[in-house]
Amino acid sequence: MPRIESTAARLAKLGFADGARAAQLVHQSGPGVEDILDSLVDVADPDLALTSLTRLIEREPAVLDTLRDDEGLRGRLLAVLGVSDALGEHLVRHPAQVALLAEPDLGEARAGLLRAVGADPEDGEPRARAGNGALVDLRVAYRGRLAHLAARDLTGQATLQEVTSELSDLAGAALEAALAIARAETGSDGVRLAVVGMGKCGARELNYISDVDVIFVAEPREGADEDKALRTATRLAQAMMRACTTTTSEGSLWEVDAGLRPEGRSGPLVRTLASHLAYYRRWAKTWEFQALLKARPVAGDLELGAAYVEAVNEMVWSAATREHFVEDVQAMRRRVEAHVRAEGERQLKLGPGGLRDIEFAVQLLQLVHGRLDPLLRRRATLPALAALSRGGYVGRDDSRGLAEAYTFLRRVEHLLQLHRLRRTHIVPTEEADLRRLGRALGMQADPVGEFTARWRRHAMEARRLHEKLFYRPLLQAVARLPESEARLSTTAAAARLEALGYVDPRGALRHIANLSTGVSRRAAIQRTLLPVMLGWFADTPDPDAALLGFRQVSDKLGSTPWYLRLLRDETAVAARMARVLGTSRYATGLLMHAPDAVAMLGSDAELAVRPPQALLGEASAAVSRHAGDPQTAVAAVRALRRKELFRTAVADISGLIDIEAVGTALSRLNDVTLQAALDAALAKAADVTSFAIIAMGRLGGLECSYASDADVMFVHSPLPGVGEREATDAAFAVANELRRLLSLPAPDPPLPIDPDLRPEGRQGPLVRTLASYRAYYSRWSSPWEAQALLRARFSAGDAELGAAFTAMIDELRYPQDGLPDDAVREIRRLKARMEAERLPRGADPALHTKLGPGGLSDVEWVAQLLQLRYAGTRPSLRTTRTLQALRAAVVEELLDPADEVVLAEAWRFASRVRDAIMLVKGRPGDSVPADSGERKLIAQTLGYPPDGSEDFLDDYRRVTRRARRVVDRVFYGA
């Protein structure tokens, strides 16, 4: 026991995690093992290596003498055993293969694996020996070569590129041997079959354990029937795949994945060359050409495989000129970003700053620029990255940083997979696993801490560089550069911008030059900002507008100390600003005249809708400051309104508020504006008459859009001792002054006042007393006026007068006995006539959001008819709001809940479309645009992807069709 205990202490000092267990193993294996213990000190996991070594010696004692005599073999074997439990297990089962690790070179892999399955490498179509033993022999031979390569890798005798190339060639050799097994199983008469490697196998950058991506190409031999040849080739391909994936006593090799073939798993497994080319010419998407960047013949008929690669290469490098290339690129970038967000941060491949980030960026730049520059046509990532750097398409320092990160991440990936020979990309959390990784990478002092720090640093650097990779050289194309560094040509810069979605790349380059050229501090900060901003612009519906808007705002605020500092230091502000500028001409226009509103973009809290009372307090203070100068006072109020319109628009674009909240915010803001303007206009009539503004239409329903006028009626009441004529003249002057003040030319959006819903319309008096309104409604009112009054509510002015007015009209709009049948028929006739006559000439009824079938008018008239008929006895229906009325009708069992859902969905959708039209175009519109470009911008603003314009159209038609069916049944009684 004392001897074991002293050995345990020594082993613990040598780096064994479990010194007592290690001592036990050494004791059980005999004295010879102690002679090589010092060689275990530097391996990644001494405990793991000792466990496998003692099992190996137990199986084949002669191994110990060999290791004591051969220092090179000892170093290689222990390096493998200290990393790979799976390869240790393999060598225990096949100790004779230990000797392979001593060989400097095992010869050609293809010949070696073919011989292992009993096939002749010199045969044009090698055929394996019959029987199941070939599958086992293939796996044993393959893993022996894998162990040999791992030994050279782990002892620093092979570079990463040498390792990945040999792994790819070894996979190709295994596919060749598997095909020989398939020929023995199914025959191969009358057909030529090529196996084209794709992905990492095609690029000669394969992992230790990975799916091997392939495409099968077949041709009938001369005189053979094509259909029969394709059936034979399909059986061959299936048998070859089985030979790799079937589980035996020696396990399986890896999955063979043919999913990158035309039509994916839905398409035929094998096609002729002509069939492949026909598909790629007509149907292929950009991502398929991206995949074809890696294509390389790896097994079977190499001449046919080379013909395939040569034929598709021409299409690969012209992919950037195809229709929808930009949309495809954007979709691909979104897909990668989605993967990044979905995967955990410990994902080496798909996590932030992972391998996919780097590979995707390199491939995309190759697709964009490889058409004009053949030097970029490289399959593997690192050679392609180097070529991009030499050509000036990627900055030299960026290229170096990405290459270092990629190399580190690939080495970690290999170590993870070698451990159990399993396909994994997850960085473990257990300290023992992290310790093994760190030590395998040469970190001895603090392997866990050093490894974690280096991994995170490389991942962060890769992510940072990936975000700038597309955009930083664009600045270099228009700025001075050190002579030693290559420069992106103007043509190449324009091509890249076009590929990223910029419609006017030359104009974009001019804006970039204007922003970033010079030696000022402002230009220096812009050079830091723009690479990231350009990427964010590219993700918006209109990148050109975003960049133009950014230049305009920067021109206005560039000399302001806080502006560029805010964008540089507050990522959220810059990102949201990019989205707003690239989405909404309306919001951009508001920002142009109040650029300091940029400051509110930093947080969701800043974009919260402000309470009406707070706004009214600020507006009233502005009016008080400019007492006696109503024009200046209302100008200040309109400036406040502009700022709040911007706040609401940004919250809307950012998805922070829904369409009902948008309508309420805009309506309350208009109330405040009317109240403040009325306060200014009333100054000369304050002692003559009291005055109230009654909101009508969308303002009354708290459903204003960005383009809404203020539908109102004016009511006044002479003060005691004032004659009615004098009071009416004063009220008329107040109303006209109010309209003038709110429509004066100014940088701020006007608030047009529309009083046409008053009694007698435009022919009637602009202002009436309460008694005059009462007299008119009691004698002359028609059903449509009662319907219009359903929206009436007090908006501004004298609250008591407003309350008296709404109380007076309640009897008219909420009749106790409901509507007589003839009134219902008249309302229905009026609605039908309006549909026929008021639709603008040339408008597509199905796409008109207001008057079209299932549009806003349809839904609102359903709600209003229910109110006119039943609100007299059911107070819950007494609301000015459409959706609230529909919900109340469900509670009162006047409307089926399913119908309410359909109608509300249509109303919300149509309202969102109207608002989106205003946001995007900066001018109002009621119809879904016929122009596909405009419709695409609207669709993206509503949350559809860049290629989702037709989905948006289909959704709108579907939602409104369903609503119209409800309208026909509920409103018209059909």
Side-chain angles (χ1 to χ4, degrees):
M1 275 309 282
R3 180 175 176 275
I4 294 177
E5 288 174 3
S6 61
T7 302
R10 185 166 71 93
L11 291 174
K13 290 178 182 178
L14 288 174
F16 286 85
D18 189 345
R21 182 175 179 278
Q24 190 71 40
L25 289 173
V26 170
H27 177 69
Q28 291 171 356
S29 300
V33 174
E34 291 194 26
D35 296 342
I36 59 173
L37 281 180
D38 287 344
S39 299
L40 287 167
V41 171
D42 295 328
V43 303
D45 188 339
D47 298 81
L48 176 63
L50 181 59
T51 299
S52 296
L53 178 62
T54 53
R55 292 183 61 216
L56 179 60
I57 292 170
E58 182 181 355
R59 178 70 182 269
E60 181 55 69
V63 167
L64 183 56
D65 292 332
T66 304
L67 293 180
R68 281 192 298 211
D69 296 339
D70 190 334
E71 183 180 353
L73 173 60
R74 182 167 71 243
R76 286 185 174 190
L77 176 63
L78 294 181
V80 170
L81 298 183
V83 166
S84 179
D85 192 19
L87 286 177
E89 183 69 35
H90 174 79
L91 292 173
V92 168
R93 290 198 308 275
H94 305 282
Q97 289 194 342
V98 170
L100 296 177
L101 274 58
E103 299 295 332
D105 189 339
L106 297 183
E108 189 198 16
R110 177 182 179 275
L113 294 191
L114 283 172
R115 291 191 189 97
V117 300
D120 182 0
E122 302 301 322
D123 193 335
E125 290 191 350
R127 192 177 298 255
R129 61 177 177 273
N132 291 331
L135 294 179
V136 172
D137 292 342
L138 172 59
R139 284 147 178 73
V140 172
Y142 176 87
R143 293 220 172 82
R145 287 178 172 270
L146 198 68
H148 178 267
L149 177 56
R152 292 169 48 232
D153 179 9
L154 296 170
T155 54
Q157 296 170 25
T159 65
L160 175 68
Q161 286 184 263
E162 288 170 341
V163 170
T164 57
S165 296
E166 287 191 38
L167 284 168
S168 304
D169 293 343
L170 183 56
L175 291 172
E176 191 74 79
L179 189 55
I181 294 172
R183 291 193 188 101
E185 179 184 328
T186 68
S188 58
D189 295 341
V191 69
R192 301 167 62 196
L193 178 66
V195 184
V196 178
M198 302 289 286
K200 285 185 163 56
C201 180
R204 298 189 79 220
E205 53 185 11
L206 199 62
N207 311 323
Y208 277 97
I209 292 293
S210 175
D211 290 355
V212 174
D213 297 310
V214 300
I215 284 178
F216 295 104
V217 188
E219 291 292 334
R221 293 198 178 278
E222 190 173 348
D225 177 75
E226 183 174 302
D227 290 341
K228 183 179 179 182
L230 284 174
R231 287 194 296 273
T232 300
T234 300
R235 288 195 297 273
L236 260 179
Q238 291 169 336
M240 187 206 83
M241 294 169 75
R242 282 196 305 274
C244 295
T245 59
T246 297
T247 302
T248 69
S249 60
E250 288 293 327
S252 61
L253 291 179
W254 15 251
E255 291 293 319
V256 179
D257 189 346
L260 292 176
R261 65 185 184 270
E263 300 179 77
R265 288 177 170 78
S266 302
L269 181 63
V270 181
R271 290 177 184 254
T272 63
L273 178 55
S275 175
H276 276 282
L277 298 181
Y279 171 85
Y280 290 130
R281 289 189 181 110
R282 185 169 185 184
W283 302 111
K285 298 286 181 64
T286 298
W287 72 262
E288 292 177 278
F289 292 112
Q290 183 185 14
L292 287 170
L293 280 171
K294 308 289 189 181
R296 176 177 66 93
V298 294
D301 192 317
L302 298 181
E303 184 180 342
L304 175 59
Y308 168 89
V309 171
E310 182 179 357
V312 299
N313 266 347
E314 181 181 342
M315 288 183 276
V316 167
W317 300 115
S318 62
T321 64
R322 290 166 58 93
E323 190 178 4
H324 304 307
F325 175 76
V326 172
E327 291 87 344
D328 287 346
V329 166
Q330 291 173 331
M332 289 153 61
R333 291 179 68 235
R334 283 197 314 278
R335 194 156 51 241
V336 170
E337 293 297 325
H339 275 304
V340 166
R341 287 191 294 269
E343 300 292 339
E345 63 171 15
R346 305 190 77 81
Q347 244 278 8
L348 278 178
K349 183 176 181 181
L350 299 177
L355 294 164
R356 178 67 63 85
D357 264 4
I358 301 170
E359 291 163 353
F360 176 84
V362 170
Q363 290 164 25
L364 196 51
L365 289 174
Q366 286 180 278
L367 280 179
V368 171
H369 299 297
R371 178 172 63 95
L372 299 176
D373 189 345
L375 295 176
L376 302 182
R377 300 176 186 180
R378 312 296 177 95
R379 293 188 181 99
T381 301
L382 289 175
L385 183 57
L388 286 165
S389 178
R390 285 193 296 272
Y393 304 98
V394 174
R396 190 174 54 204
D397 291 340
D398 291 351
S399 172
R400 185 184 303 113
L402 278 178
E404 289 174 358
Y406 187 77
T407 300
F408 177 81
L409 295 173
R410 286 301 305 270
R411 290 184 66 198
V412 175
E413 179 185 44
H414 284 179
L415 292 170
L416 288 173
Q417 294 180 348
L418 273 173
H419 183 47
R420 301 191 187 281
L421 286 186
R422 290 179 185 164
R423 186 169 177 258
T424 180
H425 304 93
I426 305 295
V427 177
T429 56
E430 293 293 326
E431 185 167 327
D433 294 323
L434 294 172
R435 180 172 178 267
R436 183 181 65 255
L437 289 172
R439 286 173 61 91
L441 292 167
M443 304 168 190
Q444 296 291 337
D446 177 16
V448 175
E450 285 183 59
F451 167 75
T452 302
R454 276 190 63 187
W455 163 51
R456 294 194 184 284
R457 185 176 71 250
H458 279 301
M460 187 181 302
E461 179 72 357
R463 188 66 181 154
R464 184 183 69 81
L465 292 175
H466 171 260
E467 290 172 340
K468 293 183 178 181
L469 199 63
F470 298 103
Y471 310 106
R472 185 144 60 186
L474 297 171
L475 275 67
Q476 296 169 339
V478 296
R480 293 179 176 275
L481 279 181
E483 291 300 321
S484 59
E485 184 156 345
R487 173 176 175 161
L488 194 66
S489 70
T490 303
T491 301
R496 185 176 303 187
L497 281 166
E498 191 172 3
L500 292 164
Y502 289 82
V503 176
D504 180 13
R506 302 273 175 187
L509 284 173
R510 287 194 296 273
H511 295 320
I512 294 169
N514 176 272
L515 288 163
S516 62
T517 301
V519 296
S520 67
R521 182 174 178 275
R522 170 184 169 184
I525 296 178
Q526 286 283 18
R527 286 193 289 271
T528 301
L529 282 171
L530 272 170
V532 179
M533 296 295 290
L534 288 168
W536 284 330
F537 296 156
D539 289 333
T540 68
D542 192 344
D544 298 82
L547 179 55
L548 172 61
F550 182 65
R551 177 181 173 182
Q552 291 171 332
V553 174
S554 295
D555 285 346
K556 291 202 172 201
L557 287 179
S559 58
T560 307
W562 59 266
Y563 167 65
L564 289 176
R565 186 169 64 244
L566 177 70
L567 294 182
R568 182 192 63 195
D569 298 340
E570 298 290 339
T571 303
V573 175
R576 186 166 270 153
M577 181 180 179
R579 175 160 175 73
V580 169
L581 294 175
T583 299
S584 174
R585 292 181 186 273
Y586 176 75
T588 300
L590 295 172
L591 185 60
M592 289 303 148
H593 298 294
D596 57 338
V598 167
M600 75 171 65
L601 300 177
S603 71
D604 293 352
E606 283 288 326
L607 296 173
V609 175
R610 295 178 64 194
Q613 286 306 117
L615 293 175
L616 183 58
E618 189 173 339
S620 298
V623 173
S624 298
R625 279 197 307 273
H626 302 287
D629 185 358
Q631 194 162 315
T632 303
V634 173
V637 172
R638 287 174 62 180
L640 169 65
R641 179 171 179 265
R642 174 193 59 208
K643 183 177 178 182
E644 296 309 314
L645 285 171
F646 180 73
R647 189 191 309 274
T648 302
V650 175
D652 187 2
I653 292 165
S654 304
L656 301 177
I657 51 177
D658 63 16
I659 190 64
E660 288 186 75
V662 170
T664 301
L666 295 174
S667 303
R668 293 301 187 193
L669 177 59
N670 288 343
D671 286 344
V672 167
T673 306
L674 289 171
Q675 181 64 64
L678 180 60
D679 289 343
L682 266 174
K684 296 178 181 179
D687 299 329
V688 178
T689 188
S690 58
F691 195 100
I693 300 175
I694 306 300
M696 301 288 287
R698 296 204 163 277
L699 177 60
L702 296 172
E703 295 163 357
C704 281
S705 69
Y706 296 104
S708 291
D709 294 347
D711 293 318
V712 301
M713 293 196 298
F714 300 118
V715 58
H716 80 104
S717 179
L719 293 176
V722 178
E724 186 165 322
R725 167 55 59 186
E726 180 187 355
T728 298
D729 289 345
F732 184 79
V734 167
N736 277 328
E737 176 69 353
L738 175 76
R739 297 171 73 185
R740 184 186 75 84
L741 291 171
L742 289 174
S743 59
L744 283 171
D748 308 304
L751 179 58
I753 304 299
D754 185 351
D756 291 351
L757 289 174
R758 66 188 185 271
E760 301 179 79
R762 294 179 183 176
Q763 279 69 48
L766 180 63
V767 185
R768 289 176 183 258
T769 64
L770 191 61
S772 176
Y773 277 108
R774 182 180 291 111
Y776 173 85
Y777 287 133
S778 64
R779 185 172 183 184
W780 303 108
S781 176
S782 61
W784 77 262
E785 287 179 299
Q787 183 180 353
L789 288 171
L790 288 169
R791 300 280 207 137
R793 67 172 177 84
F794 169 71
S795 172
D798 189 303
E800 286 188 20
L801 180 58
F805 179 90
T806 54
M808 178 266 294
I809 63 172
D810 279 353
E811 183 178 342
L812 181 65
R813 60 181 174 174
Y814 307 137
Q816 284 297 310
D817 297 328
L819 277 187
D821 290 344
D822 60 338
V824 172
R825 284 192 294 272
E826 183 180 347
I827 288 174
R828 287 171 174 165
R829 279 196 302 270
L830 180 63
K831 174 75 167 73
R833 192 171 78 240
M834 187 180 73
E835 290 177 12
E837 297 176 0
R838 290 186 57 188
L839 198 70
R841 181 177 296 177
D844 181 350
L847 298 180
H848 199 278
T849 61
K850 183 177 181 181
L851 301 175
L856 295 169
S857 177
D858 266 4
V859 178
E860 289 162 2
W861 282 57
V862 168
Q864 290 160 14
L865 183 57
L866 289 169
Q867 289 177 291
L868 288 170
R869 297 180 73 178
Y870 302 109
T873 57
R874 307 191 190 198
S876 65
L877 290 170
R878 298 177 187 179
T879 174
T880 64
R881 310 185 73 164
T882 303
L883 297 187
Q884 195 169 312
L886 292 175
R887 289 191 284 264
V890 171
V891 174
E892 297 290 352
E893 299 184 347
L894 300 172
L895 183 66
D896 188 281
D899 290 343
E900 185 270 334
V901 169
V902 170
L903 293 172
E905 182 184 15
W907 188 91
R908 289 191 184 96
F909 203 160
S911 297
R912 290 182 65 218
V913 172
R914 285 184 93 200
D915 274 359
I917 291 170
M918 184 65 178
L919 284 171
V920 168
K921 299 169 67 174
R923 60 182 187 276
D926 289 324
S927 288
V928 175
D931 178 77
S932 61
E934 286 187 352
R935 192 167 62 243
K936 176 183 172 184
L937 296 179
I938 302 297
Q940 284 187 259
T941 302
L942 292 170
Y944 289 84
D947 55 356
S949 176
E950 293 307 309
D951 290 339
F952 156 58
L953 204 56
D954 290 345
D955 287 347
Y956 183 79
R957 291 182 189 276
R958 174 181 53 79
V959 168
T960 52
R961 272 198 308 267
R962 291 174 61 201
R964 182 62 186 203
R965 286 196 292 268
V966 175
V967 172
D968 287 341
R969 177 162 37 81
V970 176
F971 183 83
Y972 288 110

